[in-house]
Amino acid sequence: MKTVFAAGMLAIVAMASEPADPAQAYIALVNQYRLGDRKSAVETLATWPDADLTRALRGLQNELWPRADPAGRRPLGPEAPVSLEPDERKKPTPLELFATAMVLHVDAARSDSSILDRHLNAAEQLFALVADLERHGYRVAQLPAEARERTRFTGLWHALAGTIAAAFSAFPRAATHFDIAMRFGNDEPGVLIGAGSFHERVAGLVGAGEQRPDLGFAGSYAQMSADAHLLRAADCFERALALNPSAWEARMRLGRVAWQLGQLERARHEIARALKIAPDANAQYLTRMIAGAIAEQGGDMSEALVHYRRAQSLCGDCQSVILALSHALAQTRERNAAVQVIEGLLEVPSVLRSDPWWGYHMGQWHILDELLEQLRNAVPR
Amino acid sequence: MRPTIVAAVLVLAGAHLAAQTPKFSMAVDAVRLDVRVTDRGRPVPGLTIEDFELRDNGVIQRIRSVTREESALDAVLVLDCSDSVVGEPLQHLREAARAFSAQLSPHDRASLLTFSHQVTRPARLSTDRPALAAALAAATASGATALFDAVYTALILRDHSVSRTMILVFSDGVDTASWVAPSTVIEFARQIDAVVYAVMFEAERPAFTILSLPGRVPVATITTPAEPNVPRFLEAITEVTGGQLLRARGRTGLQDQFVAALRDMKARYVLSYMPDGVERTGWHAIDLRLTRRKGVVTARRDYFVAPQNP
């Protein structure tokens, strides 16, 4: 009983210390996130029910611009949690608040597929709200004429949303985000690599010569073949490389896509270049694995084995290289060795295993924290 | 990947066959076929050599024996223990596997492979039922799904066995983490003498989460299926190996289907013949029909004999 009572008291204290109005509570959370207490803000927002979130978003405008002045303008109230004055550094501009909220939502969306739509939708409502406010003459930014950073933020945000949606296999949603990202961020290598990775994955799901209505795509996406997705992926990676020739991931994925398109010579060429710029052991591992698969496809099993053995030297317990080695050995009639490597894998306790391949199809998920940081830094004021 | 030369799926079972049917020379390569014959879904009993007509690469062959095999069976359970079976479904899966195990003959061997994004072998092939039961009891569920990797593993581990082998695969309809492509596994299965049965079910709506442990590669896990690449894979692999794809209606139907798969395997005929009038090496297309009885014949459609190592 004591415990229950104490918990009840704590709940009452917590309620008393929090703003009762959902919009106020929402703004407080966004500010908490903006000021660096991100984990707690994300965890709190992730548990918000739909109804509270809806009320918060509806109340935002009135919270920031409570009423019109006698001239009919809508200045920010003196008590507003935002400011357009550059010297009032503690307060964000309305645009900064909205953009930070968008980042917070995308940060929350990655935690669970069951809240993905809720939070990506909320962020999209904020995009629409900003456009609406500006259309009706509200000032939301210090430098409304500076469109470049807003465009960049929009591109990065949609690329991130697309990456998260794709990781949760929400493919139609991811497609929409990447399409928007490509319109706004087509000069960002990260956006291009994200979009290319998405098309690369969808190509694998569609399969050669098949239609996949179950994937839920509409419009032109529903008609796209695996090769069409691969070509689009290749285009994204090529554009990323034109902007940054040392982008290893773009080079490696371009090699894999060329291989899947049957362009073996090109695939070999790109993978050879990717091997030279692979920045770390994980990158080298994945590139070696793709190099091995390309050599295997070309019938050069000895070269494939060389690549797989190099990959094995980088990660001896990685399941993907053991399976690749086993299959290559089986194909070269080294059946005993093919079985032996598998036996070796099965002796490794599962808790000790990790494999870069397991994250490959999740696009840029492996650098999601970096992308979020990049997005936070790109928040326009 | 292109089909390449590997060791034969042909049953190079001199010792094995010699033990059962001494009239065969140990030096002679015999082909053994596991054959399912049903009429309106029920096994057809009492068939003999005269009831079958068999062509190997178009050439009629003399069937040496037709038995309803009583010899030991190797049963490999390949069970999906990813996030999608957390909780009650895992319990149903355990019960289904236990029921399967209880139907095995004392001389049958069984092993357990489980998979999430990782493939593990909690129980090696043996007649030790308590060890299998303990492995099932200890099985836990978490992580993504690497079904294709797991089936490849089961196939390659079977490679050197001369026993009749059934591989029973359970999955719930999605693969998110395999390295080995499904087409590669299917191609490989054509070269291995094992019959693959598969039990699967499909749930209503997808739900993914991300498994992200410190210092590990994050993987997308699934709690219900979304990408129907697995049903197509299971249909194909059961077809090329002459097995059967069974669909469970809800989780509780698993037990019935596991037992049904084993009974079906046990009700099969085993045909033996020595290829005559055809090239020894390379792919052999098999055409098997009934001559005097009505029924549906299910068996692998081809096998492969690799050239001898120099």
Side-chain angles (χ1 to χ4, degrees), chain A residues 301-361:
Chain A
M301 299 308 290
S302 56
E303 190 194 335
L305 284 167
V306 167
H307 287 300
Y308 291 145
R309 293 209 186 282
R310 294 288 290 273
Q312 191 185 25
S313 72
L314 293 161
C315 181
D317 295 334
C318 277
Q319 182 170 294
S320 53
V321 73
I322 299 297
L323 289 162
L325 257 179
S326 170
H327 185 252
L329 289 165
Q331 300 296 81
T332 52
R333 287 185 276 156
E334 298 286 345
R335 291 277 176 141
N336 283 334
V339 175
Q340 285 309 311
V341 291
I342 293 288
E343 289 282 0
L345 172 74
L346 295 173
E347 295 302 317
V348 178
S350 58
V351 292
L352 298 180
R353 296 196 218 158
S354 187
D355 190 332
W357 174 253
W358 289 335
Y360 184 90
H361 291 302

Side-chain angles (χ1 to χ4, degrees), chain A residues 61-339:
Chain A
Q61 183 178 347
N62 280 341
E63 197 58 39
L64 304 186
W65 292 275
R67 63 186 71 81
D69 68 8
R73 291 176 307 154
R74 290 254 180 183
L76 291 164
E79 301 304 319
V82 290
S83 171
L84 289 164
E85 301 305 318
D87 55 344
E88 206 175 343
R89 299 255 166 111
K90 285 183 184 170
K91 289 184 178 180
T93 65
L95 182 61
E96 187 181 357
L97 183 87
F98 292 135
T100 304
M102 293 170 199
V103 184
L104 171 58
H105 280 297
V106 82
D107 204 345
R110 67 166 162 160
S111 59
D112 197 314
S113 64
S114 67
I115 59 169
L116 175 82
D117 282 338
R118 181 192 307 168
H119 286 284
L120 296 187
N121 289 345
E124 290 196 277
Q125 281 181 51
L126 291 170
F127 275 112
L129 176 61
V130 171
D132 239 24
L133 288 167
E134 291 191 311
R135 195 163 45 246
H136 289 92
Y138 292 80
R139 264 190 80 193
V140 297
Q142 286 170 356
L143 299 167
E146 178 55 84
R148 172 73 187 90
E149 60 178 323
R150 297 172 65 163
T151 301
R152 178 166 185 261
F153 176 83
T154 304
L156 292 174
W157 187 90
H158 279 285
L160 198 51
T163 299
I164 293 167
F168 286 129
S169 291
F171 298 115
R173 165 144 228 160
T176 303
H177 286 302
F178 279 120
D179 281 353
I180 297 170
M182 289 290 284
R183 284 207 296 276
F184 288 91
N186 58 14
D187 54 354
E188 290 279 345
V191 170
L192 290 158
I193 294 170
S197 308
F198 170 69
H199 284 289
E200 187 184 355
R201 178 167 186 203
V202 175
L205 294 171
V206 169
E210 293 183 34
Q211 296 285 323
R212 288 289 303 274
D214 50 290
L215 292 176
F217 287 125
S220 61
Y221 267 89
Q223 307 302 319
M224 282 176 74
S225 64
D227 278 4
H229 281 290
L230 289 173
L231 289 169
R232 199 172 286 190
D235 178 58
C236 290
F237 299 140
E238 283 164 1
R239 287 160 69 178
L241 287 165
L243 294 163
N244 177 11
S246 61
W248 158 78
E249 185 167 359
R251 186 76 68 193
M252 184 264 301
R253 286 182 182 270
L254 180 59
R256 183 170 183 269
V257 165
W259 164 54
Q260 290 181 303
L261 284 166
Q263 302 164 0
L264 283 188
E265 273 314 306
R266 183 172 187 207
R268 281 195 197 96
H269 175 70
E270 299 296 351
I271 286 295
R273 294 180 72 182
L275 272 174
K276 289 178 185 163
I277 55 172
D280 54 37
N282 276 5
Q284 287 168 29
Y285 177 85
L286 283 173
T287 315
R288 286 282 174 199
M289 291 296 290
I290 306 300
I294 292 168
E296 210 175 329
Q297 173 96 45
D300 191 341
M301 299 308 290
S302 56
E303 190 194 335
L305 284 167
V306 167
H307 287 300
Y308 291 145
R309 293 209 186 282
R310 294 288 290 273
Q312 191 185 25
S313 72
L314 293 161
C315 181
D317 295 334
C318 277
Q319 182 170 294
S320 53
V321 73
I322 299 297
L323 289 162
L325 257 179
S326 170
H327 185 252
L329 289 165
Q331 300 296 81
T332 52
R333 287 185 276 156
E334 298 286 345
R335 291 277 176 141
N336 283 334
V339 175

Side-chain angles (χ1 to χ4, degrees), chain B residues 236-283:
Chain B
I237 200 159
T238 51
E239 185 181 329
V240 300
T241 61
Q244 201 183 3
L245 173 59
L246 303 163
R247 292 174 193 272
R249 288 189 178 176
R251 311 265 182 186
T252 50
L254 283 180
Q255 189 169 321
D256 292 343
Q257 298 295 44
F258 271 47
V259 171
L262 181 58
R263 286 190 179 144
D264 192 82
M265 184 71 187
K266 295 256 178 187
R268 283 171 171 258
Y269 292 93
V270 178
L271 273 65
S272 296
Y273 71 100
M274 284 185 284
D276 187 29
V278 292
E279 284 290 324
R280 181 182 175 281
T281 58
W283 284 102

Side-chain angles (χ1 to χ4, degrees), chain A residues 113 210 331 336 343 351, chain B residues 4-5 121 160 208 216 232:
Chain A
S113 64
E210 293 183 34
Q331 300 296 81
N336 283 334
E343 289 282 0
V351 292
Chain B
T4 49
I5 298 165
R121 184 178 53 191
H160 285 139
F208 277 78
R216 302 291 179 83
R232 288 183 301 169

